[in-house]
């Protein structure tokens, strides 16, 4: 095997590895969640974790897929419940934390060398980790009692440990590294299995930096 052939093989391997490195990238992502349910009031939360992206042809335009491994806090507050004849008002505040795994497919539109616009959509899967439910009792507008009614909503069977849904994102990529996105997630499973109005509905705002 002559040296010219070996050099050709080596150069081809380097070119292939370089092209592969350009097609896949990873980074850090975080942002804001506003979660709500039909049966409950909305509550703010957050998400933070790792993101990966694979571009099928060009990192700045065309088809791509992205996926994440995030810690995400959802949450909701119950509508006020009045105790008959007592004048007391009971409210519950639940904050579950999930391992959130979104898998989206999308398309990028190149605007300039330093700006692309993108849209994507796909499923997400949630695995419950931990979370608490707090309660508050008020009388004539003043708190008279508060505490924790559940230390682990998943372990105690109050909230389903597994959740899934579909979501979409729209956003901009700046200088090929920074992404700002806005989107919405529709939960497909009831968080409380005996209540049909407890599917998660989440407004999501994210900032992602790809290395």
């Amino acid at each position: 095997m002559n040296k010219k052939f070996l050099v050709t093989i080596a150069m081809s391997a380097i070119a292939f590895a370089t092209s592969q490195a350009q097609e896949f990238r990873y980074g850090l992502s975080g942002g804001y969640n506003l979660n709500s349910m039909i049966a409950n009031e909305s509550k703010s939360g957050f998400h933070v974790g790792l993101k990966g992206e694979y571009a099928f042809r060009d990192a700045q335009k065309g088809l791509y897929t992205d996926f994440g491994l995030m810690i995400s806090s959802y949450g909701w507050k119950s509508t006020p419940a009045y105790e008959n004849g007592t004048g007391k008002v009971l409210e519950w505040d639940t904050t579950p934390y999930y391992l959130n795994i979104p898998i989206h497919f999308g398309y990028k539109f190149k605007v300039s060398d330093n700006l692309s616009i993108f849209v994507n959509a796909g499923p997400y899967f949630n695995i419950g980790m931990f979370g608490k439910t707090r309660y508050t009792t008020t009388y004539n507008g003043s708190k008279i009692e508060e505490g924790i009614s559940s230390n682990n909503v998943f372990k105690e069977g109050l909230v389903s440990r597994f959740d899934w849904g579909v979501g979409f994102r729209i956003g901009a990529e700046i200088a090929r590294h920074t992404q700002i996105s806005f989107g919405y997630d529709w939960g497909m499973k009831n968080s409380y299995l005996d209540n049909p109005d407890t599917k998660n509905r989440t407004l999501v705002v994210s900032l992602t930096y790809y290395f």
Side-chain angles (χ1 to χ4, degrees), residues 40-180:
N40 295 287
E41 297 180 1
S42 60
K43 184 178 178 181
S44 295
F46 69 91
H47 58 274
V48 63
L50 300 174
K51 286 288 294 291
E53 181 184 283
Y54 180 84
F56 292 102
R57 293 189 63 183
D58 189 323
Q60 286 186 286
K61 63 180 180 180
L63 292 171
Y64 73 97
T65 181
D66 71 10
F67 37 89
L69 195 63
M70 320 286 287
I71 296 174
S72 187
S73 72
Y74 291 57
W76 52 84
K77 297 179 180 180
S78 68
T79 55
Y82 296 86
E83 284 190 350
N84 293 331
T86 67
K88 295 179 180 179
V89 180
L90 300 177
E91 295 179 274
W92 288 268
D93 186 325
T94 303
T95 307
Y97 293 83
Y98 292 90
L99 179 64
N100 172 246
I101 307 170
I103 304 172
H104 287 190
F105 291 87
Y107 195 92
K108 289 184 183 178
F109 304 87
K110 184 177 179 180
V111 178
S112 68
D113 288 342
N114 290 313
L115 179 64
S116 295
I117 304 299
F118 62 85
V119 293
N120 64 57
Y124 70 85
F125 306 92
N126 284 333
I127 302 172
M129 298 188 299
F130 55 89
K132 293 183 178 182
T133 294
R134 300 178 183 274
Y135 70 90
T136 303
T137 304
T138 59
Y139 181 75
N140 289 333
S142 300
K143 289 184 181 179
I144 60 174
E145 185 181 6
E146 59 183 346
I148 297 173
S149 60
S150 174
N151 281 301
N152 192 320
V153 294
F154 300 111
K155 186 177 181 180
E156 296 170 18
L158 299 178
V159 177
S160 176
R161 188 175 292 275
F162 299 100
D163 180 38
W164 71 280
V166 295
F168 82 93
R169 302 287 185 271
I170 182 170
E173 180 176 298
I174 304 167
R176 303 187 66 177
H177 290 286
T178 304
Q179 288 186 354
I180 302 171

Side-chain angles (χ1 to χ4, degrees), residues 153-209:
V153 294
F154 300 111
K155 186 177 181 180
E156 296 170 18
L158 299 178
V159 177
S160 176
R161 188 175 292 275
F162 299 100
D163 180 38
W164 71 280
V166 295
F168 82 93
R169 302 287 185 271
I170 182 170
E173 180 176 298
I174 304 167
R176 303 187 66 177
H177 290 286
T178 304
Q179 288 186 354
I180 302 171
S181 67
F182 304 86
Y184 200 80
D185 289 340
W186 285 269
M188 294 297 176
K189 184 177 180 181
N190 296 323
S191 291
Y192 293 113
L193 299 181
D194 59 347
N195 190 331
D197 293 330
T198 56
K199 295 181 177 70
N200 288 307
R201 300 289 186 266
T202 312
L203 175 68
V204 181
V205 181
S206 299
L207 177 64
T208 303
Y209 183 84

